[in-house]
Amino acid sequence: MSDAFPASTAALIDGKAFAAGLRAKVAIHAAAFEAQSGRKAGLAVVLVGEDPASQVYVRSKGKATVECGMASFEHRLPADTTQADLIALVDQLNADGAVDGILVQLPLPGHLDEQAVVERISPTKDVDGLTPVSTGRLALGLPGLVPCTPLGSLMLLKDRLGSLSGLNAVVIGRSILVGKPMAQLLLGESCTVTIAHSRTKDLPQVVRRADIVVAAVGRPEMVKADWIKPGATVIDVGINRLPPTETSPKGKLVGDVDFAGVREVAGAITPVPGGVGPMTIAVLLRNALVAAYRNAGLDAPSEL
Ligand code: GUN
């Protein structure tokens, strides 16, 4: 670090608190929706198989849905479910007037065609924002449902920085669930966007240009302090568990960013845990309620 930028400690971006605020807003509007439409907004979550991490996610999604006053429909199918049976369930949920949002937990067991299942979800119920229609609408700048983690990350950025117009943003990772939609959202805010990935040449040099860094690669503590422009805002989407040690017998949870080092250079940073993670479920609830309003032919409240 040069003398012009003496070491300082970055502000922490409190995703947990922001997510709690968003969930409270969803709860208020979910009650208003029920009063207006005569039914609860409903979210269906489909889990195939017994992946332990997915089971935890699905349980917490169902609990959060009920806590904010919406109806939760959980469908747990055995690991050997056929493609035809899974598609039949999606069709049934598409046709169900009590269901406003459908989330099929990914990854699916290897014998299932994930893309075909996702494409079957009605775009009006696509709370994950993963169907080709949702993806296309995002690229075109049209209203639609947007993937939860990138939308949550954008909410944190706008809360911290206000206008993002003209800022250099570097997204590290090009996944369908995070990297690509994140880049589209930042472009929509008039950032100059670079998508970096595993083949990018001189990644540290690319990241050093960024006013905004979004790390979504799934490599523990990859982004180092000397990659970061002093004062930059750093959003860490990674959730990685390190091997167990004596002091952390379950293995420490870390992001894709070397938090201890980067916080001495960045202007603001999301911690792991407690940063982007809590935003994902809060935005899922928000997306389900927005879908409910639109499916009922009503305008969704602008503060959502
Ligand atoms: N698995 C991990 N994250 C997600 C997500 O956001 N949506 C779905 N459907 N599956 C996931």
Side-chain angles (χ1 to χ4, degrees):
M1 204 182 312
S2 81
D3 290 344
F5 297 103
S8 63
T9 304
L12 286 186
I13 299 176
D14 189 345
K16 199 172 165 196
F18 193 97
L22 178 57
R23 280 157 71 147
K25 275 188 228 168
V26 170
I28 290 168
H29 291 292
F33 175 81
E34 188 176 354
Q36 231 177 322
S37 69
R39 66 173 183 88
K40 281 188 195 292
L43 173 62
V45 178
V46 179
L47 173 63
V48 184
E50 267 132 45
D51 178 68
S54 292
Q55 284 180 324
V56 172
Y57 289 136
V58 165
R59 203 172 312 127
S60 45
K61 282 168 186 171
K63 186 163 163 269
T65 304
V66 171
E67 274 170 7
C68 75
M70 301 198 284
S72 169
F73 306 96
E74 275 184 48
H75 293 267
R76 289 163 186 272
L77 304 180
D80 61 357
T81 297
T82 63
Q83 182 80 11
D85 283 350
L86 183 53
I87 293 282
L89 174 59
V90 171
D91 285 348
Q92 178 198 319
L93 296 171
N94 281 339
D96 187 341
V99 171
D100 295 291
I102 302 169
L103 181 145
V104 178
Q105 185 68 28
L106 305 176
L108 290 171
H111 67 285
L112 294 169
D113 180 349
E114 211 161 85
Q115 189 57 34
V117 172
V118 168
E119 285 194 29
R120 195 76 172 201
I121 296 170
S122 164
T124 63
K125 301 190 178 188
D126 177 23
V127 284
D128 253 337
L130 293 179
T131 61
V133 169
S134 299
T135 306
R137 293 186 71 87
L138 176 59
L140 290 167
L142 297 173
L145 293 163
V146 175
C148 304
T149 303
L151 183 54
S153 300
L154 185 74
M155 287 176 179
L156 295 179
L157 281 169
K158 288 171 79 171
D159 183 59
R160 171 79 203 165
L161 296 172
S163 169
L164 309 184
S165 179
L167 297 180
N168 287 333
V170 173
V171 179
I172 315 173
R174 54 177 156 178
S175 71
I176 302 294
L177 216 49
V178 183
K180 282 187 190 176
M182 186 77 241
Q184 291 287 0
L185 286 170
L186 290 165
L187 188 59
E189 298 296 326
S190 302
C191 290
T192 303
V193 182
T194 303
I195 308 178
H197 47 77
S198 55
R199 302 285 175 89
T200 296
K201 284 188 195 149
D202 200 358
L203 181 60
Q205 195 57 40
V206 171
V207 175
R208 245 172 246 133
R209 293 202 299 260
D211 304 302
I212 293 169
V213 179
V214 180
V217 268
R219 305 245 320 250
E221 300 178 317
M222 186 182 80
V223 177
K224 303 297 183 197
D226 65 355
W227 299 21
I228 300 297
K229 175 155 101 174
T233 304
V234 178
I235 302 290
D236 189 352
V237 179
I239 302 180
N240 312 286
R241 201 171 278 286
L242 295 181
T245 62
E246 238 166 63
T247 47
S248 298
K250 281 169 75 181
K252 193 178 167 211
L253 219 47
V254 299
D256 292 346
V257 175
D258 175 10
F259 181 81
V262 169
R263 76 176 303 190
E264 301 300 324
V265 186
I269 184 169
T270 56
V272 176
V276 173
M279 291 301 292
T280 300
I281 289 187
V283 174
L284 172 66
L285 303 172
R286 176 261 177 209
N287 279 357
L289 187 56
V290 166
Y293 272 99
R294 291 183 187 152
N295 292 341
L298 302 166
D299 286 332
S302 56
E303 75 159 353
L304 289 177

